[in-house]
Amino acid sequence: INAEYGLKVNLVMSFLRRLSVLNKNVLTRKKGEGYTWGPGKQFIQFSKDWEEWMEKNDITDEHLLNWERQGTLKTRLKSKPFFWGAKWEDHQTGWLRLRSKRVGLLAKKVGMTREIDWWGKLRAVTALQVQNCQVVDIKTRDKHGYTALQVGAGLKRLSRVKKSLMGHFARAAVSPKEKLVEFRVSEDAILPIGTKLLVSHFRPGDFCDVKGKTKGKGFQGVMKRWGFAGGPASHGASLSHRSAGSTGSGSQDPGRVLPGKKMAGRMGGQIRIVRSLRILKINNKDQIIYVIGAVPGPSKGWVEITDAFLKPPRKPPHFPTHFPTGPLTPYLYWSYRDPDYKSRRIDWEMKFLEAKKILQSAMKTEGSDMFDDEEDMEGEDGDVLGVGGAGGTSGTATGGGSKE
């Protein structure tokens, strides 16, 4: 960090520490590790926005020191644009951007369909259904060495549940689950056992990461597995059109096939994460989340939905999860406007049409009294004015020189 920005960065760091939004490990990494993505990258971007905002508004270090002495630094910084519209904490729920990590959802992939968004664009979306998702167990740092929540979803027949898992579900007082996964969470995001997780855990417009197991393709050749071009189709070696060709090992040096060489083998069946998928629609009635894009795995396969790591929510999310206090809206869509915008626009248009009719009727009744003198109806050339013009060349009087 340059020396000229030392005071600014120190003020920012002290401000964030007072708000308890900065983890001690974020700024105490060893030399060479660096920041790729995540909280450290967010802090660096935050400091860059801070410098641009100060230069744009001609704010010096003396202004910051005066705000610090007056005790108004916290309120002034929250209303400034260098926060790029994102909040760093939520006092009501205790959510902290750089430290809090929520639990995810365990959903089943239903399939893909098409949805039209708010702007009329056709989107390819994947439907993910959350079926009876509950917290089954809690992993603590003192007992297990890490903090996590075990989440189960789906239903399983009692005759197909092992005795060990039967006791596990009985201690948690939950129904037997078809699938169990663990989500690493922060200590302030721990939920009690038996808590139900709904699709309202997320909001339309937010980004999420979806983790699943890809479709297994079996043993495949290099053309299908790695996209090799293959040999000539008409001329060349016989019966080797789709072969890999030479592996380039050499006879003496190095005399072996190097590790990682692209060759034929098993394809698919691996854990993959698709990041930063936007949530287009949420169906609270059937507990379905519609995300824009493709999701790994076949239909009826299980996937894990978590908050996007590269694009965290700009507004504080439902933390640690959403606890509904009343009936939920059946469908929620991603839009920049409120859901009542269309109804309010129709009401506004109706009122505008009524006001227009009233104005037209008033002009018709009072039109004969608008021009009492003939001098007011004459233009520069002495011609009579028309309804739509001013001056003698813009129009002629309707009805043979009437006073309309």
Side-chain angles (χ1 to χ4, degrees):
I1 302 174
N2 297 332
E4 57 182 349
Y5 295 113
L7 178 60
K8 303 176 186 178
V9 175
N10 289 334
L11 284 174
V12 174
M13 290 170 57
S14 62
F15 169 66
L16 293 179
R17 286 196 184 98
R18 268 202 320 278
L19 295 181
S20 302
V21 300
L22 189 59
N23 195 353
K24 295 181 180 179
N25 297 329
V26 173
L27 296 178
T28 57
R29 290 192 177 187
K30 297 180 181 179
K31 185 178 180 181
E33 292 184 359
Y35 298 102
T36 55
W37 292 101
K41 188 71 174 180
Q42 293 179 8
F43 180 78
I44 293 177
Q45 182 64 36
F46 162 74
S47 61
K48 290 181 180 178
D49 296 340
W50 162 271
E51 296 173 3
E52 294 177 359
W53 174 75
M54 291 189 64
E55 294 178 358
K56 183 179 180 180
N57 295 274
D58 297 332
I59 294 179
T60 60
D61 302 336
E62 297 179 358
H63 294 86
L64 302 178
L65 293 175
N66 292 333
W67 294 347
E68 179 74 16
R69 297 190 190 98
Q70 297 173 3
T72 60
L73 181 63
K74 179 178 178 180
T75 56
R76 285 178 180 271
L77 295 185
K78 280 192 174 183
S79 60
K80 298 305 176 183
F82 75 90
F83 266 102
W84 37 278
K87 292 187 177 181
W88 290 79
E89 64 174 347
D90 189 6
H91 297 286
Q92 297 181 356
T93 59
W95 173 78
L96 305 174
R97 178 175 293 275
L98 296 181
R99 187 182 302 174
S100 300
K101 186 177 182 181
R102 299 193 305 165
V103 69
L105 294 180
L106 183 59
K108 181 175 285 188
K109 181 178 176 180
V110 179
M112 294 195 70
T113 181
R114 298 182 299 174
E115 290 284 342
I116 299 176
D117 61 6
W118 180 269
W119 298 268
K121 186 176 181 180
L122 194 64
R123 301 276 189 172
V125 298
T126 305
L128 307 174
Q129 187 175 21
V130 178
Q131 302 176 356
N132 195 21
C133 189
Q134 287 181 284
V135 178
V136 179
D137 196 7
I138 301 175
K139 306 291 184 179
T140 59
R141 186 178 298 275
D142 298 335
K143 186 176 180 180
H144 304 89
Y146 63 97
T147 305
L149 291 178
Q150 188 184 72
V151 177
L155 293 175
K156 198 171 185 178
R157 294 181 182 178
L158 294 177
S159 59
R160 297 187 178 182
V161 180
K162 297 181 180 180
K163 291 185 178 180
S164 58
L165 286 178
M166 186 70 75
H168 182 65
F169 293 132
R171 285 191 298 270
V174 296
S175 58
K177 305 298 180 182
E178 184 180 351
K179 183 72 173 179
L180 289 174
V181 296
E182 282 189 3
F183 292 98
R184 294 290 186 97
V185 298
S186 56
E187 295 182 357
D188 56 350
I190 295 178
L191 293 169
I193 296 177
T195 303
K196 291 185 178 181
L197 302 176
L198 308 175
V199 293
S200 56
H201 182 77
F202 295 97
R203 293 176 302 192
D206 292 344
F207 292 92
C208 64
D209 294 340
V210 181
K211 178 181 178 181
K213 191 174 184 179
T214 59
K215 295 180 181 179
K217 304 293 184 179
F219 194 95
Q220 298 295 332
V222 291
M223 292 184 66
K224 181 178 177 64
R225 192 183 185 195
W226 301 110
F228 281 18
S234 59
H235 295 78
S238 301
L239 302 179
S240 61
H241 305 292
R242 299 182 65 88
S243 63
S246 175
T247 56
S249 59
S251 59
Q252 184 176 0
D253 188 15
R256 61 191 177 93
V257 179
L258 297 178
K261 179 64 178 177
K262 294 180 180 179
M263 303 176 72
R266 292 192 61 181
M267 180 180 177
Q270 298 178 348
I271 302 297
R272 290 291 180 264
I273 302 177
V274 181
R275 299 193 180 275
S276 303
L277 296 179
R278 189 183 286 275
I279 299 175
L280 176 66
K281 175 183 173 182
I282 289 181
N283 184 355
N284 289 314
K285 183 179 179 181
D286 299 325
Q287 293 294 302
I288 299 177
I289 297 178
Y290 297 87
V291 297
I292 300 176
V295 167
S299 299
K300 299 183 180 179
W302 293 99
V303 296
E304 304 173 20
I305 311 173
T306 55
D307 291 329
F309 182 72
L310 303 181
K311 294 184 179 181
R314 296 172 63 87
K315 297 181 180 179
H318 299 298
F319 186 80
T321 186
H322 183 238
F323 299 99
T325 57
L328 296 174
T329 305
Y331 300 96
L332 296 175
Y333 298 88
W334 167 45
S335 64
Y336 284 127
R337 303 184 179 94
D338 57 328
D340 299 332
Y341 174 78
K342 289 186 177 180
S343 60
R344 290 192 292 105
R345 182 176 178 84
I346 292 174
D347 296 341
W348 178 81
E349 290 179 353
M350 295 297 294
K351 293 180 180 178
F352 175 76
L353 293 176
E354 292 178 0
K356 187 176 180 181
K357 291 180 180 179
I358 295 174
L359 181 61
Q360 289 178 353
S361 61
M363 290 180 64
K364 288 181 179 179
T365 55
E366 299 180 359
S368 58
D369 301 333
M370 291 177 65
F371 300 100
D372 295 334
D373 300 331
E374 294 182 357
E375 297 178 356
D376 297 336
M377 299 179 62
E378 294 181 357
E380 297 179 356
D381 300 334
D383 298 333
V384 181
L385 294 177
V387 177
T393 59
S394 58
T396 56
T398 60
S402 61
K403 294 184 180 181
E404 293 183 0

